[in-house]
Amino acid sequence: MLKDFVVEALDLATNVEEHLLTLERHPDDMEILNAVFRAFHTIKGGAGFVNLPAMVSACHLTENLFDALRTGKAAVTPIAIEAALQASGFVADQLNELSNGADPASLASMPQDLEDILTQAIEGQAAPAAAAAPVPSAPAVAAAPATVSTTPSINGGASVLGADGSLDWNALYQAVAGGVGDAPPAAAVAAPAEVADAVEDSSSGHPKALPSATPKAAAPAVTPNRRATDNQPGGGKEESIRIDAGKLDALLEVAGESVQAANQAAVLLEKLQQFKFEGTAAALMSTLAETLGRASRYSSELQRATLSTRMQPVGRLFQKFPRLVRELAKDLGKDVDLAISGAETEVDRVVVDSLYDPLVHMLRNSLDHGIETDRAAAGKPNKATISLKAWQEASSVMIEIFDDGKGMDPDFLRKKAIGKGLIGEHDAQSHDEALQLVFLPGFSTKEVASSVSGRGVGMDVVKTAVEKHRGTIRIDSTLGVGTRFSIRLPIELSIIPTMLVRTAGAALALPMAVVERVVELPDDFDEVGGAPVLRDQGRPLPVHSLAGVLGYEPGNERVGIVMAVPHPYILGVEAVEGTADLVIKPLTAIQTNGITGTARSAEGELVLVVGLSFLLEGCRASAKAVAQV
């Protein structure tokens, strides 16, 4: 029950922050006010039934505040928004601790400063007409009172701790079940004693059944993962269930293997059909072909359905950032607006879970390094804009962060990197190469480290995290205009469309995301600076030997693959053997330059998968490593 509550409450807490930041811009939006009130009330109810008194206290006070706001007894002011944000932050922190396995008894009590700011928000915003009503006080959590407090709040709540610091179930029932005032007063008074009796009996090993009214109040909190449709007669059906991610991964593994087996069986059948069958054997072969086709179709559908269960919208990740930008901009004394678009774009859940830290690093750098402190002097509006957007491009997902700040000076970056001994005097000569220097470990343009940046860590971690999921990241920047970070990631991590090639006797797979077309290579090439070049569609493109850059002995490579990358080039191979959607197994035990995983072809042959980032960077990393060897 605790696990289900934490999962559901975390969703509510994240949505609360998003609602509060919207409410700050639109203080008269009653729909948002009601949504925030309901969220805190729901979390409070669940926290009460799983015995989390500090969370109950924080939600109870915040619920009182929003009850006053939505009924017009108070106005939405900065202190009210700040108090609610602090409360949602406290609740989210406790929920995160619980999700990480913390013992509920080890959670901290509600901080005094949180209680103070919530009380100030309630008192400072109260309308004169409400002055005669008793102001609700926070339930005593940090210090236990001498007697049980039963002073009702606006919503009929009460302190939930007794003199010995233990949970007072009578008061808890009043705070949770009586908070909305839906039940008649008599029921609200009579029911707590019955709840207490049931708890006492259960503690002695003889649970006592609760009256029928009690489970109705408890049901929404006890089963937070049940989502029923209101239009269903007699209760409604569940629209979704929660499944452990490990089970989905295992299902995807089995689905992938079934597709592989079906493909191999199809290849064997094709070879068998080259022989002549007559009579019963011919009929059996025909039935086998039909059955195998059906099995192959169903296994592919199973694989697609399983993959779709792993897909999640990036909005789940994006909605965490408005508050981060708001608070950091306030700390830096800057006026910044975060514009989010494309939140509905879907990507593998593993990518969503792992992108939080990289995006935080980039947003912090944009705020600290990119946005000017004095924008008027630069002839720009005082309010800066950082845009965060996502969209789908072929089989990839693009995520872009753009700030309209001062931009990056490539010459300055190059001098800094040389001064720190990170590169040589003649390295990173081009504009693009100089911008990529920020991804070097230990690189920073700050002379003095601050709480935000300057220690030379962060951007190299970003690049590592993106490349871990076969993605790439690029920087484009113009002085005085702004800086753009572009991340490209595969939509599905486990299956990718590939082109199968062979060179130096090795079977290799290239991601189709960077394959433009196939051309024939001549016997002799023109040369530029001693390197082979082939003119393709009027543009001279450098030619790399795939065998050479991977460390194999180059053979007779007469087929060229034009790579659709920022700086196009041609990759030479011996033969192209077709295309296939491969189930990729990442390399974990060993690390091979340029190779990110393995797969099985339809014939069952082991295929090495060439890394997307390696190809996007023009095979330079691998070529450099081979030269050093």
Side-chain angles (χ1 to χ4, degrees):
M1 187 173 69
L2 177 66
K3 181 180 178 181
D4 286 342
F5 161 72
V6 168
V7 171
E8 191 78 12
L10 274 171
D11 287 342
L12 287 170
T14 304
N15 290 333
V16 161
E17 286 194 358
E18 186 178 4
H19 287 326
L20 289 173
L21 295 174
T22 305
L23 187 63
E24 190 174 34
R25 298 190 297 269
H26 307 286
D28 297 327
D29 194 324
M30 287 301 298
E31 186 176 342
I32 294 179
L33 279 169
N34 287 324
V36 174
F37 174 85
R38 287 192 302 269
F40 276 106
H41 182 73
T42 302
I43 295 174
K44 182 184 82 169
F49 281 99
V50 294
N51 195 10
L52 302 172
M55 198 178 300
V56 170
S57 301
C59 290
H60 186 61
L61 266 185
T62 313
E63 182 185 18
N64 290 344
L65 169 62
F66 272 82
D67 186 57
L69 295 176
R70 71 191 187 124
T71 56
K73 296 176 181 177
V76 178
T77 58
I79 188 174
I81 296 295
E82 186 62 33
L85 282 171
Q86 288 191 26
S88 68
F90 170 72
V91 169
D93 288 343
Q94 292 218 326
L95 291 170
N96 283 320
E97 287 186 49
L98 290 170
S99 69
N100 291 330
D103 184 351
S106 68
L107 297 180
S109 58
M110 183 171 70
Q112 186 61 46
D113 57 351
L114 175 57
E115 180 180 342
D116 291 343
I117 191 172
L118 283 168
T119 304
Q120 291 168 13
I122 295 171
E123 293 176 346
Q125 309 305 321
V135 177
S137 59
V141 175
T147 60
V148 176
S149 170
T150 57
T151 304
S153 71
I154 292 174
N155 293 316
S159 175
V160 296
L161 295 184
D164 59 354
S166 62
L167 196 64
D168 186 309
W169 286 91
N170 290 4
L172 176 62
Y173 185 89
Q174 289 179 336
V176 176
V180 273
D182 293 326
V189 173
E194 295 166 345
V195 175
D197 289 343
V199 173
E200 289 174 5
D201 286 355
S202 64
S203 64
S204 61
H206 302 286
K208 179 179 177 181
L210 294 177
S212 59
T214 306
K216 291 178 182 177
V222 174
T223 58
N225 63 322
R226 299 180 69 87
R227 298 175 182 176
T229 52
D230 295 333
N231 59 354
Q232 293 289 333
K237 66 176 183 178
E238 289 189 17
E239 293 180 339
S240 64
I241 59 173
R242 298 192 186 278
I243 301 176
D244 183 76
K247 294 180 180 179
L248 286 179
D249 293 341
L251 180 60
L252 180 62
E253 180 83 10
V254 172
E257 293 295 341
S258 69
V259 171
Q260 293 271 347
N263 290 341
Q264 290 180 26
V267 171
L268 292 174
L269 179 63
E270 187 177 349
K271 292 180 178 178
L272 278 174
Q273 287 175 333
Q274 296 176 2
F275 298 94
K276 184 177 181 180
F277 293 91
E278 296 179 353
T280 304
L284 287 175
M285 283 296 296
S286 177
T287 304
L288 177 61
E290 181 185 348
T291 304
L292 183 57
R294 189 166 64 251
S296 178
R297 184 171 65 254
Y298 287 150
S299 62
S300 297
E301 290 178 1
L302 172 63
Q303 187 180 54
R304 283 194 294 271
T306 307
L307 282 170
S308 68
T309 63
R310 291 170 53 102
M311 306 299 286
Q312 292 184 346
V314 294
R316 171 175 167 265
L317 176 67
F318 286 3
Q319 65 186 0
K320 301 177 181 180
F321 297 129
R323 184 180 178 186
L324 171 78
V325 171
R326 174 186 181 272
E327 294 184 350
L328 188 56
K330 185 168 65 174
D331 292 342
L332 295 171
K334 298 178 180 180
D335 189 5
V336 182
D337 183 39
L338 178 64
I340 293 177
S341 61
E344 70 285 352
T345 305
E346 290 192 333
V347 70
D348 193 288
R349 65 166 185 83
V350 176
V351 175
V352 173
D353 293 339
S354 62
L355 273 183
Y356 176 75
D357 286 339
L359 290 177
V360 166
H361 281 303
M362 286 187 283
L363 287 170
R364 289 165 70 92
N365 273 281
S366 293
L367 282 160
D368 194 23
H369 294 278
I371 304 301
E372 305 93 338
T373 303
D374 184 6
R375 288 176 60 86
K380 297 181 178 180
N382 185 53
K383 181 183 282 292
T385 300
I386 296 178
S387 65
L388 174 60
K389 62 180 181 178
W391 70 94
Q392 183 175 338
E393 190 174 281
S395 59
S396 300
V397 166
M398 301 295 298
I399 298 177
E400 181 182 281
I401 294 179
F402 175 76
D403 67 75
D404 61 349
K406 59 187 177 183
M408 295 183 182
D409 184 348
D411 293 331
F412 176 72
L413 295 176
R414 192 180 299 109
K415 290 176 183 177
K416 275 287 182 182
I418 294 173
K420 291 178 178 288
L422 299 175
I423 63 171
E425 290 283 345
H426 303 291
D427 293 332
Q429 293 297 311
S430 71
H431 177 91
D432 182 64
E433 290 174 337
L435 293 178
Q436 309 311 311
L437 292 174
V438 301
F439 293 123
L440 292 176
F443 183 88
S444 176
T445 58
K446 282 250 181 174
E447 299 294 340
V448 180
S450 68
S451 60
V452 178
S453 61
R455 300 189 183 276
V457 295
M459 295 309 293
D460 62 313
V461 176
V462 170
K463 192 170 191 288
T464 301
V466 170
E467 291 182 348
K468 177 183 176 183
H469 298 299
R470 301 202 305 273
T472 59
I473 181 170
R474 287 185 52 79
I475 302 177
D476 296 296
S477 186
T478 305
L479 276 174
V481 177
T483 301
R484 176 178 284 101
F485 293 90
S486 301
I487 298 175
R488 177 192 292 269
L489 292 160
I491 293 178
E492 298 165 353
L493 289 182
S494 55
I495 299 178
I496 60 172
T498 64
M499 173 174 282
L500 301 176
V501 302
R502 188 171 296 274
T503 190
L508 301 162
L510 308 178
M512 287 296 294
V514 291
V515 172
E516 184 174 327
R517 66 182 173 280
V518 177
V519 297
E520 183 179 357
L521 298 182
D523 292 329
D524 299 311
F525 297 95
D526 295 332
E527 291 189 358
V528 176
V533 172
L534 178 66
R535 185 168 293 278
D536 175 70
Q537 294 185 344
R539 54 183 180 174
L541 300 180
V543 180
H544 301 312
S545 163
L546 180 57
V549 296
L550 291 178
Y552 296 124
E553 185 68 31
N556 184 24
E557 297 177 332
R558 301 300 303 273
V559 180
I561 302 172
V562 181
M563 308 305 292
V565 295
H567 301 286
Y569 62 96
I570 296 175
L571 203 55
V573 299
E574 291 181 7
V576 172
E577 299 184 341
T579 61
D581 291 344
L582 297 182
V583 179
I584 308 301
K585 303 288 182 65
L587 288 177
T588 54
I590 59 174
Q591 199 166 22
T592 304
N593 201 24
I595 304 297
T596 58
T598 63
R600 289 281 178 186
S601 69
E603 290 80 9
E605 183 181 13
L606 182 68
V607 177
L608 300 178
V609 181
V610 184
L612 179 65
S613 59
F614 165 75
L615 294 171
L616 281 166
E617 292 172 0
C619 310
R620 288 193 299 269
S622 184
K624 182 178 179 181
V626 172
Q628 290 175 344
V629 172

